[in-house]
Amino acid sequence: MDLVPALQEPLKKVLGPATAKVMAEHLGLHTVGDLLHHYPRRYEERGQLTHLADLPMDEHVTVVAQVADARLHTFASSKAPRGKGQRLEVTITDGSGHLQLVFFGNGVHKPHKELLPGTRAMFAGKVSVFNRRLQLAHPAYELLRGDTEGEETVESWAGALIPLYPATAKLESWKLAKAIQTVLPSAQEAVDPLPDSLREGRGLVSLPEALIKIHRPHTKADIEDARARLKWDEAFVLQVALARRRHAETQLPAVPRKPGRDGLLTAFDDRLPFTLTDGQQKVSREIFDDLATDHPMHRLLQGEVGSGKTLVALRAMLAVVDSGGQAVMLAPTEVLAQQHHRSVVEMMGELAEGGMLGGAEHATKVVLLTGSMGAAARRHALLDLATGEAGIVIGTHALIEDKVQFHDLGLVVVDEQHRFGVEQRDALRGKGKQPPHLLVMTATPIPRTVAMTVFGDLETSVLDQLPAGRSPIASHVVPAADKPHFLARAWERVREEVSGGHQAYVVCPRIGDEDDDPKKKAAQRASPEDDAEKRPPLAVLDVAGQLAEGPLQGLKVEVLHGRMQPDDKDAVMRRFAAGETDVLVATTVIEVGVNVPNATAMVIMDADRFGVSQLHQLRGRVGRGSAPGLCLLVSEMPEASAARQRLNAVASTRDGFELSRIDLEQRREGDVLGQAQSGARTSLRVLAVIEDEEIIAEARQEAAAVVAADPELTGLPGLRTALEALLDEEREQYLEKG
């Protein structure tokens, strides 16, 4: 982050080309600064041993343990037919469990001499299973001696506390430790990004001191001091980047868009068959206030599934049309664009028939534009956009093409932003005479801290109230392997819903027309969890056939998935919406935006293959009418597995924000941020988004104050350097939700 000449030194020069190559290829470390910011994952005390009982399968681990037993066996093999083959089996222990190490062939001589019972060492290797026991085959090891000869080695691992680094097969933790030892003196030259007043006010150690303490702590307090300081660095530099972005946006000009007194918006509100919830009114006010200013709105609208986000967004679009501008809604898929177009036209009625016979006085035209439209329809739509005839345009990223010209683009609404690339958002914004206002909608509830880090350049509005008349959804886990009769009962429940005049969805993780990955058909493993894991996920095309001929025989079953032709997809959705189809077997294409109030039941097959937030999204497709909804989560995973606990959590709460917290705690931070960062490597190394909520909130306040006082950061050269490094590393994609 804080790249200054000493820290910009390439590792090739300092450590030699061979080590530098491995660090670059496997750990993404190129400079002295990168290596100093490669922090230990945890620490071992020399007098204390690791938990061998908790070792993860198939991962490279470093353990500190004591040799309990070592035995040399001879055996006959093709290479050594006279029983001259040698195998050394060493058992190590840490008090919590035992682990077997194996060495073969010529590799047995050195460990046979060195790994005597009672010897303590660090061992590194990949955890595998042999004869149902965990083992490390040919692990690398480094002895921990208490004598003076070994004192230097132990000292170089920070005295009493041994740092264990995120390592790879090619580079064990202690080799990293030695490399860091070599570059550690350069830490003194690290330029501090935090303003002195902030650092002193919060009692934080300096950056050089933090880097030395995190790599060579003498006490646990050293580690705490270092981590507290480095967390602040990460939170603060990121929040300054976001604050500068927000500041820059306020400097852009935009056309204020205020709705007319008795125009289109008033006419629309008058024809609504219900009153808006308090939440919808509050969020609408926030949006209208933003639209009335002379710099572009940047707002994130997050709402629970079914909380009426589309209605709130439509009212914002109508306000812009009222003021003489155009509004565009960008959807991630054609199915969703068509769905939005249909529901907007239905909600608006004759107000969507501008320029047509029977259109109302204040009406405008609502145009759909997607990539698969015929040439004539497309030409017509493009003309309506260019002349301003169409006040509201709904489409996919086809809207971003060069040919598409707007008469006066005033508002861009982006649905499910995490499915859009950075360039797409900016290209669309570039189509206005001045930057248009921007409203981003997401149905994925985002914990407050993630909103502050990932979407920190947007103001946030939350719709957490469900409209009156929405029915409760009962959710249950169906353990198909333990209790097959539960699955049979699930299909009976679907038949009962259909005989009651309702409809059902069956969701599968896979389409089924692709070649199965041969790797997935590979070796059988021992545990029931592996059995459920190793078969390919259930597929729409297979399941639909089995249901139509088996438990759902006689019902009208159709399929829907992403590889169908757009017209076919639309026809299937129309038939389902019209009630002509009883059961729709689909992939997650129905996850967002599909609205069929008569659908009351959903069965999710292999539910453990979906994320928590995704299951919550899918479940939101039922119970949209007056009849109660039912969601059945089918899984073959064993009861004690983490996957089943995740499903139990989904079944036990309807609170999307609570589920998003669970989701974030169960996945690595980098996955969550990574999704929002178009896959850029997460720059958060010690900051934990959920646990460090307080630091993030305080850093946001401090950053806003710093940027307001000095937007160019002229008085803070260290902060500027850190910022340039962050923005260079992430190419600003970190701050753009890719």
Side-chain angles (χ1 to χ4, degrees):
M1 269 179 358
D2 30 66
L3 301 178
V4 297
L7 301 196
Q8 273 178 330
E9 191 79 43
L11 289 172
K12 198 160 49 182
K13 274 189 175 176
V14 189
L15 303 173
T19 307
K21 186 172 183 232
V22 175
M23 287 192 175
E25 283 176 7
H26 294 275
L27 296 169
L29 307 174
H30 303 277
T31 64
V32 168
D34 291 342
L35 185 54
L36 287 173
H37 286 296
H38 187 72
Y39 307 133
R41 181 183 281 157
R42 57 192 174 83
Y43 302 84
E44 287 294 350
E45 291 179 62
R46 250 184 306 147
Q48 184 196 34
L49 297 165
T50 353
H51 279 282
L52 294 181
D54 305 333
L55 291 180
M57 272 294 296
D58 289 337
E59 276 193 30
H60 281 278
V61 297
T62 303
V63 297
V64 177
Q66 187 161 341
V67 176
D69 184 41
R71 294 175 191 216
L72 189 62
H73 302 273
T74 54
F75 60 91
S77 71
S78 56
K79 288 183 182 169
R82 296 200 187 127
K84 295 275 178 68
Q86 290 190 309
R87 180 174 77 246
L88 176 66
E89 290 180 2
V90 178
T91 305
I92 58 172
T93 179
D94 65 351
S96 78
H98 290 78
L99 179 65
Q100 182 130 21
L101 317 177
V102 288
F103 301 88
F104 292 100
N106 295 334
V108 303
H109 304 306
K110 185 167 175 270
H112 189 218
K113 275 194 293 212
E114 295 183 332
L115 298 179
L116 305 172
T119 308
R120 303 199 51 252
M122 293 167 77
F123 303 91
K126 190 174 184 181
V127 183
S128 58
V129 168
F130 181 72
N131 278 346
R132 299 205 165 198
R133 288 174 66 189
L134 292 181
Q135 70 167 28
L136 298 181
H138 282 285
Y141 64 88
E142 188 90 358
L143 301 179
L144 294 177
R145 301 184 180 90
D147 58 351
T148 49
E149 176 214 341
E151 207 55 53
E152 194 184 329
T153 327
V154 171
E155 267 310 300
S156 71
W157 293 324
L161 290 160
I162 302 167
L164 296 185
Y165 290 91
T168 73
K170 298 270 172 75
L171 207 62
E172 291 91 11
S173 172
W174 54 85
K175 288 184 183 164
L176 274 163
K178 285 176 178 171
I180 286 167
Q181 199 59 34
T182 308
V183 302
L184 204 52
S186 304
Q188 295 295 354
E189 307 207 20
V191 176
D192 206 319
L194 295 191
D196 293 344
S197 56
L198 189 157
R199 192 165 57 77
E200 287 156 14
R202 295 186 176 274
L204 299 169
V205 300
S206 70
L207 182 58
E209 190 181 335
L211 289 172
I212 289 165
K213 281 184 168 176
I214 198 132
H215 292 298
R216 288 200 63 172
H218 292 294
T219 63
K220 288 185 175 169
D222 284 353
I223 301 170
E224 287 309 305
D225 287 351
R227 288 178 68 83
R229 163 60 215 248
L230 294 166
K231 281 183 179 192
W232 255 94
D233 270 23
E234 288 179 6
F236 182 70
V237 174
L238 174 56
Q239 290 302 335
V240 167
L242 294 165
R244 288 189 71 191
R245 194 176 185 86
R246 289 194 301 274
H247 181 268
E249 302 285 11
T250 63
Q251 306 306 300
L252 292 172
V255 179
R257 308 283 179 173
K258 294 179 183 167
R261 177 152 293 168
D262 286 314
L264 185 55
L265 180 62
T266 311
F268 175 75
D269 285 349
D270 288 346
R271 69 186 302 281
L272 278 178
F274 50 81
T275 50
L276 299 177
T277 65
D278 293 347
Q280 287 170 332
Q281 288 178 347
K282 174 177 164 284
V283 169
S284 288
R285 275 196 300 277
E286 290 170 353
I287 292 171
F288 290 151
D289 288 350
D290 282 0
L291 289 173
T293 60
D294 55 9
H295 56 82
M297 163 171 83
H298 281 94
R299 193 166 278 281
L300 172 69
L301 170 58
Q302 46 169 322
E304 271 287 20
V305 180
S307 57
K309 288 182 305 300
T310 313
L311 175 63
V312 168
L314 177 55
R315 293 185 75 239
M317 292 164 88
L318 296 175
V320 169
V321 175
D322 255 356
S323 72
Q326 289 169 294
V328 55
M329 182 184 273
L330 206 50
T333 64
E334 294 210 355
V335 167
L336 202 50
Q338 289 160 344
Q339 177 81 32
H340 276 317
H341 181 255
R342 207 174 305 136
S343 58
V344 163
V345 168
E346 275 168 21
M347 279 196 270
M348 288 177 64
E350 72 269 17
L351 296 174
E353 296 169 1
M356 298 184 224
L357 278 172
E361 179 196 349
H362 296 292
T364 187
K365 219 177 205 182
V366 180
V367 168
L368 176 69
L369 185 64
T370 63
S372 63
M373 284 170 77
R378 188 177 172 76
R379 222 174 14 252
H380 209 109
L382 289 172
L383 189 64
D384 285 343
L385 265 63
T387 58
E389 186 83 12
I392 292 178
V393 187
I394 296 168
T396 56
H397 54 237
L399 282 169
I400 297 160
E401 291 174 14
D402 290 344
K403 295 188 205 101
V404 180
Q405 296 300 323
F406 292 87
H407 177 65
D408 178 14
L409 181 59
L411 170 67
V412 176
V413 178
V414 179
D415 189 18
E416 292 302 319
Q417 160 124 17
H418 58 272
R419 293 158 189 257
F420 276 103
V422 181
E423 297 82 9
Q424 294 170 315
R425 181 172 108 173
D426 286 347
L428 193 60
R429 276 175 34 189
K431 289 185 178 292
K433 293 188 177 76
Q434 285 191 327
H437 299 280
L438 176 72
L439 181 65
V440 174
M441 297 198 297
T442 176
T444 308
I446 302 164
R448 174 170 167 255
T449 43
V450 179
M452 284 192 291
T453 42
V454 178
F455 295 96
D457 55 338
L458 302 171
E459 298 301 324
T460 306
S461 295
V462 178
L463 274 176
D464 50 9
Q465 206 182 355
L466 289 184
R470 284 300 298 254
S471 306
I473 301 173
S475 304
H476 304 284
V477 178
V478 177
D482 313 350
K483 300 179 178 167
H485 60 287
F486 275 39
L487 183 58
R489 175 70 187 123
W491 301 126
E492 282 173 22
R493 284 292 290 112
V494 169
R495 294 192 82 97
E496 286 164 16
E497 290 297 311
V498 172
S499 63
H502 298 297
Q503 293 159 279
Y505 297 101
V506 176
V507 182
C508 303
R510 208 163 55 98
I511 297 172
D513 58 358
E514 62 281 317
D515 289 335
D516 285 341
D517 182 344
K519 284 183 193 162
K520 285 181 187 159
K521 294 180 176 171
Q524 309 287 308
R525 293 201 213 120
S527 77
E529 191 154 341
D530 293 333
D531 288 341
E533 274 283 339
K534 74 186 170 222
R535 67 161 172 73
L538 292 171
V540 166
L541 300 176
D542 302 339
V543 169
Q546 289 159 9
L547 291 176
E549 290 166 20
L552 301 185
Q553 202 170 8
L555 301 186
K556 180 97 171 65
V557 177
E558 287 211 66
V559 300
L560 179 71
H561 59 76
R563 278 210 285 274
M564 290 165 64
Q565 290 300 316
D567 291 351
D568 296 342
K569 277 192 274 200
D570 204 36
V572 168
M573 267 323 298
R574 277 179 195 280
R575 286 195 291 275
F576 190 66
E580 295 165 24
T581 305
D582 298 322
V583 179
L584 186 62
V585 183
T587 56
T588 53
V589 289
I590 61 153
E591 179 186 354
V592 239
V594 173
N595 185 22
V596 179
N598 192 45
T600 53
M602 175 177 286
V603 181
I604 303 179
M605 307 303 290
D606 279 345
D608 47 89
R609 309 271 181 143
F610 300 95
V612 169
S613 296
Q614 198 172 27
L615 290 169
H616 183 58
Q617 290 279 333
L618 286 165
R619 169 170 65 182
R621 301 298 118 213
V622 294
R624 299 178 79 85
S626 51
L630 173 69
C631 178
L632 302 174
L633 307 166
V634 179
S635 171
E636 291 185 5
M637 296 304 259
E639 196 165 351
S641 64
R644 274 283 288 279
Q645 288 163 10
R646 210 168 60 232
L647 297 181
N648 292 339
V650 175
S652 66
T653 178
R654 286 289 319 284
D655 182 341
F657 286 92
E658 176 56 29
L659 287 174
S660 69
R661 272 190 94 88
I662 293 169
D663 200 14
L664 188 51
E665 281 160 5
Q666 289 192 339
R667 289 154 53 188
R668 290 198 340 276
E669 226 105 51
D671 298 343
V672 178
L673 295 176
Q675 283 190 340
Q677 292 170 18
S678 27
R681 183 159 66 92
T682 173
S683 70
L684 299 190
R685 296 181 176 94
V686 283
L687 193 70
V689 171
I690 285 285
E691 291 158 32
D692 297 321
E693 181 165 344
E694 214 169 288
I695 294 176
I696 293 169
E698 288 173 15
R700 185 178 165 102
Q701 280 182 327
E702 294 272 12
V706 165
V707 171
D710 179 6
E712 293 305 311
L713 310 177
T714 40
L716 297 164
L719 180 54
R720 281 186 71 112
T721 309
L723 203 57
E724 281 159 19
L726 172 76
L727 298 186
D728 177 54
E729 181 183 345
E730 310 294 4
R731 290 194 195 79
E732 284 211 1
Q733 289 189 10
Y734 181 86
L735 309 173
E736 291 272 19
K737 275 46 74 197

